[in-house]
Amino acid sequence: MSRVVLKLGGSVVTEKDEPETVDTEALERVATAIGEWYTDERAAGTDLLVVHGGGSFGHHHAAAHGVSRETGSTDTQAVRDIHGAMQDLNEAVVGALADADVPAVPVHPFSAGYRTPEGLLFYPAEPTASMLSEGFVPVLHGDVVAHAGEGATILSGDELVVELAEGLGATRVGLCSTVPGVLDDADEVISEIVDYEDVADYLGESESTDVTGGMAAKVRALLGLRAAASVFGPDDVGPFLRGEEPGTVIRGE
Amino acid sequence: MSRVVLKLGGSVVTEKDEPETVDTEALERVATAIGEWYTDERAAGTDLLVVHGGGSFGHHHAAAHGVSRETGSTDTQAVRDIHGAMQDLNEAVVGALADADVPAVPVHPFSAGYRTPEGLLFYPAEPTASMLSEGFVPVLHGDVVAHAGEGATILSGDELVVELAEGLGATRVGLCSTVPGVLDDADEVISEIVDYEDVADYLGESESTDVTGGMAAKVRALLGLRAAASVFGPDDVGPFLRGEEPGTVIRGE
């Protein structure tokens, strides 16, 4: 059995500079690539889970309410604004996938997880695993999450990818971003990363607090996974799903 | 500490005969009663969880797609239709409660639970408990849920009430229905039920399969709870929350 976790970056599927606007064309393009693989080329027994980020839907609400991964809010308007916008974007992503014949179903992480007082995420994998077993393609999104002592904090799509890739035993992980991979200082794609030290010069110190989900935090988190993870641009969704390793492949030990 | 689980019947908050139509006036009335208690009269340390049914939002989609508690569907259009309509109703209920100054937040059970091949519901209580601890009022709804071997089946509001009342250690359970309580054969409200046998003549055999969540199934399930449960009409939401026992109180052993 093979299990693929695919993240669609928020900036890939939304218009970055227009609040709550889907980039319909870009979304359709990646949905079509996913659909062609899913219906025609996917090996039997391979399942797929999709996670998407917030882009122009989640981020401005989070910023406006001063909510981050560490700093929460007990204001239910903040929770409803962020969650509601992400739910709208999720509906668009699920709809585009459905139009491409992918059996996509919506999953809202605020309903399913929480953080301990130390900020550790608790996210039971069984409900999502159960959807996969029934042949559905669960589509999760960056969201808010109840956080003991903080009200609700941000749960990013990247954090969900790492959590679920481990919890569900993913065999392959792909992050579709607006850039074609992890770039070195000459803006060339690094083909493989096996140790953070090898790329620390390009990405910054591993100590940096990267709350926005930038590349340094992504790479560090992906190095911790058992599965290999690829970072690639929108044109490489199809090649990744077909088993190639476009962009940058990140292999932890 | 005191923990109240309140169910708002789908027929209380929707126009029964108009597909996907909220009964705005009735919803506002119960939301106001909840808000007055929550903000002015609630004892410190008492928290509240709200569950609502489907009414004219969920039921016709479920019927159209032939989905019930036992019979599932792997058609994602069925899942999306039922879940989407319930999400819309949930948004209206959460909005009405927010307008009445209740710190309501939306919870979508499809994201959080699943059924085993035997149809047993697995619904982790921790995410909801975490919201309660942070001072939120989680508002859950009847929904679909992944069901091993069946695709997705219906998870009713009543089933959620029973599951969460036990899982969260509710001290009081209230079911607001369109009738003023459990009725005897003269249509009089029965004030107390402690044994199903005492009311079997009015409600039918306990063997009956009551997939629509009728009164017999409700009473049997509520008799299994550790907490006392009250069944009452829309005018008695305030009195129930203030600690009275309007309508019918059901006390299991």
Side-chain angles (χ1 to χ4, degrees), chain B residues 10-216:
Chain B
S11 54
V12 173
V13 295
T14 71
E15 300 275 9
K16 216 172 175 173
D17 302 323
E18 303 274 340
E20 297 184 43
T21 307
V22 175
D23 185 339
T24 315
E25 210 179 297
L27 174 57
E28 265 182 38
R29 212 160 41 231
V30 294
T32 301
I34 297 168
E36 284 173 358
W37 169 76
Y38 196 89
T39 53
D40 295 339
E41 302 168 275
R42 181 176 54 108
T46 299
D47 53 33
L48 173 68
L49 177 133
V50 174
V51 177
H52 64 83
S56 65
F57 281 74
H59 292 183
H60 71 284
H61 286 298
H65 290 288
V67 182
S68 69
R69 179 168 165 167
E70 285 85 18
T71 306
S73 174
T74 53
D75 176 8
T76 53
Q77 192 60 54
V79 171
R80 291 170 57 211
D81 283 351
I82 300 166
H83 181 75
M86 289 307 300
Q87 207 165 276
D88 290 345
L89 176 57
N90 185 253
E91 204 172 308
V93 174
V94 168
L97 288 167
D99 289 345
D101 294 327
V102 177
V105 292
V107 177
H108 310 298
F110 177 56
S111 302
Y114 71 93
R115 287 192 202 283
T116 66
E118 296 74 33
L120 290 176
L121 179 65
F122 174 90
Y123 197 94
E126 294 90 346
T128 318
S130 183
M131 293 175 199
L132 290 167
S133 301
E134 293 305 300
F136 297 127
V137 172
V139 182
L140 290 80
H141 54 85
D143 205 347
V144 279
V145 69
H147 183 149
E150 282 288 338
T153 51
I154 298 297
L155 170 57
S156 74
D158 285 346
E159 194 179 359
L160 275 169
V161 164
V162 170
E163 176 77 15
L164 283 166
E166 287 296 285
L168 293 167
T171 48
R172 300 187 75 217
V173 176
L175 280 80
C176 174
S177 160
T178 42
V179 287
V182 183
L183 305 178
D184 66 16
D185 54 356
D187 276 352
E188 299 284 337
V189 172
I190 302 165
S191 61
E192 188 178 56
I193 301 173
V194 296
D195 187 331
Y196 193 82
E197 289 311 305
D198 296 343
V199 292
D201 286 351
Y202 313 133
L203 301 180
E205 287 309 308
S206 61
E207 299 300 319
S208 69
T209 56
D210 194 342
V211 293
T212 57
M215 200 57 92

Side-chain angles (χ1 to χ4, degrees), chain A residues 191-205:
Chain A
S191 61
E192 188 179 54
I193 300 173
V194 295
D195 188 332
Y196 192 82
E197 289 311 306
D198 297 342
V199 293
D201 285 351
Y202 314 132
L203 301 180
E205 288 307 310

